[in-house]
Amino acid sequence: KFTMAGRIHVHVTCRPVEIDGAPKAELSIIVADTGVPYQGSVSMLKEKAIEGDVDEVYICLPVRSSYEEIQEIAHLCEGAGVPVHLVADLFPTRVATSRLMHLEDIPLLNLSTIPEAHGKVFVKRAIDFVGSSLLIMMLFPMLTLLAIMVKLDSKGPVLFLQERVGQNQRRFKMMKYRSMIVNAEEVQAALLDQNEMDGPVFKIKNDPRITRLGRFIRKYSLDEFPQLFNVWRGEMSLVGPRPPIPAEVEKYSWNQRRRLSIKPGMTGLWQVSGRNDIGFEEWVALDLEYIDTWSVGLDILILLRTFKAVVAGRGAS
């Protein structure tokens, strides 16, 4: 634990404590190993400031146990007109990055695990809005034809509206063309022992609830097209983690809930990496990888790979 100061000549002041059992007298040798000259304890900072040897002070002490000491150093430097910098990694986070922001004139320390580049987020939303609008207009004849085919194939509504969990656990109605019998959710309870997915997800490759047309439109993801309206309304994105149902979220571990920190998507790394051919843990890992490495370029790459996967009908059920 030490304090560094000096723009032209770097100085170090250390609290007189033992490090890994080393005697106090040897503390200067330990600090010297870093290539920074040792200048004495924190109590000597005032003397150094009076001598004019200090240009800046960097405080690297633990805030919880050294609050009064840090306050004293800050007050001393304020009086001497010396700038003070406090290391901002106050909390032991594994993934979140810390950034300094201001709310009017109030300084805030921001800890976030999601993209904070507001310009890029705006571009992503613009791509979603423009892209979904163009696709809805271009595909309108096919969307109409699919609706008629679903209606003629089996009894029930054309659209299947299901409550899903979106960004920050906000719920919304996700739209799909109905590809199963009307009472599919009630029948699922009798099929739980046939589940072929691990984790809280339910999937069966030869699901008996799927209609004749439903099997075809699911293979080529045609049943997903109504979600373009969810994207247009801002509930979903073209690219992002798939939105889970509330019952699945209730079984999530705390770390798995981080996949809900961004807007869900029609497609994502999971879909272009095997879809139902991969397990739930890998599915979540891919979603978290997407969140941690997100960029507009990555979205475009996933969209291109999605088109290839849909045409091939790979991994769908």
Side-chain angles (χ1 to χ4, degrees):
K1 304 181 180 71
F2 56 87
T3 302
M4 296 186 295
R7 179 178 299 157
I8 301 175
H9 300 288
V10 179
H11 306 291
V12 170
T13 65
C14 295
R15 292 200 301 174
V17 296
E18 294 185 357
I19 298 181
D20 296 331
K24 297 177 183 178
E26 296 179 11
L27 188 58
S28 60
I29 299 176
I30 295 174
V31 177
D33 289 341
T34 65
V36 181
Y38 174 68
Q39 297 292 316
S41 67
V42 172
S43 60
M44 297 177 62
L45 179 59
K46 183 175 182 179
E47 177 185 338
K48 291 292 181 181
I50 292 174
E51 293 175 359
D53 288 345
V54 180
D55 298 307
E56 291 181 278
V57 170
Y58 289 81
I59 301 177
C60 307
L61 298 172
V63 175
R64 182 175 181 179
S65 60
S66 309
Y67 178 78
E68 292 184 359
E69 194 168 21
I70 292 172
Q71 188 177 42
E72 180 182 352
I73 294 172
H75 179 71
L76 186 154
C77 292
E78 182 182 28
V82 176
V84 178
H85 308 276
L86 179 64
V87 174
D89 58 344
L90 307 179
F91 308 101
T93 56
R94 295 185 300 108
V95 181
T97 56
S98 59
R99 297 178 180 85
L100 182 64
M101 60 178 294
H102 286 80
L103 180 62
E104 294 185 350
D105 59 342
I106 303 174
L108 302 173
L109 182 63
N110 178 41
L111 301 177
S112 178
T113 61
I114 61 176
E116 292 289 322
H118 297 291
K120 292 182 180 179
V121 173
F122 175 80
V123 171
K124 181 177 175 67
R125 175 56 190 152
I127 292 174
D128 287 340
F129 182 78
V130 174
S132 60
S133 299
L134 290 175
L135 286 171
I136 289 171
M137 289 187 291
M138 291 170 56
L139 299 174
F140 186 76
M142 187 178 72
L143 295 175
T144 303
L145 178 61
L146 284 171
I148 296 173
M149 293 173 65
V150 171
K151 189 64 177 177
L152 295 176
D153 180 64
S154 61
K155 294 181 180 180
V158 170
L159 293 178
F160 173 61
L161 304 180
Q162 187 179 47
E163 187 175 55
R164 296 290 183 116
V165 182
Q167 185 176 20
N168 296 329
Q169 303 196 60
R170 292 182 175 87
R171 300 189 180 189
F172 68 99
K173 294 291 185 179
M174 190 183 77
M175 293 182 281
K176 299 177 70 172
Y177 283 125
R178 183 177 56 82
S179 60
M180 292 186 174
I181 57 178
V182 175
N183 61 336
E185 292 184 300
E186 288 78 6
V187 175
Q188 179 177 316
L191 301 172
L192 291 177
D193 60 336
Q194 300 180 40
N195 188 13
E196 297 173 358
M197 289 287 288
D198 59 346
V201 182
F202 180 83
K203 292 284 184 181
I204 302 176
K205 285 187 178 180
N206 297 311
D207 197 322
R209 301 172 299 164
I210 301 177
T211 63
R212 292 172 300 174
L213 178 65
R215 198 165 301 282
F216 174 78
I217 64 176
R218 287 167 70 94
K219 180 178 181 180
Y220 294 101
S221 299
L222 300 177
D223 61 321
E224 309 280 357
F225 278 7
Q227 289 163 40
L228 288 169
F229 291 96
N230 290 119
V231 175
W232 186 81
R233 296 195 305 194
E235 298 163 334
M236 294 178 62
S237 175
L238 291 174
V239 182
R242 287 296 291 165
I245 61 176
E248 294 173 354
V249 175
E250 291 175 1
K251 300 176 184 178
Y252 279 7
S253 67
W254 192 250
N255 289 334
Q256 289 169 347
R257 286 176 179 266
R258 190 161 71 87
R259 70 186 299 269
L260 305 174
S261 61
I262 65 172
K263 197 172 293 185
M266 290 183 63
T267 185
L269 276 180
W270 169 65
Q271 285 88 335
V272 299
S273 301
R275 300 172 78 175
N276 298 333
D277 296 332
I278 64 176
F280 179 71
E281 291 295 332
E282 186 179 354
W283 177 356
V284 173
L286 288 169
D287 285 341
L288 298 184
E289 178 185 343
Y290 170 78
I291 293 172
D292 295 336
T293 61
W294 173 81
S295 69
V296 174
L298 178 59
D299 277 3
I300 295 174
L301 178 62
I302 291 174
L303 287 172
L304 293 175
R305 291 177 62 186
T306 297
F307 176 77
K308 182 179 179 181
V310 168
V311 171
R314 190 179 70 247
S317 67

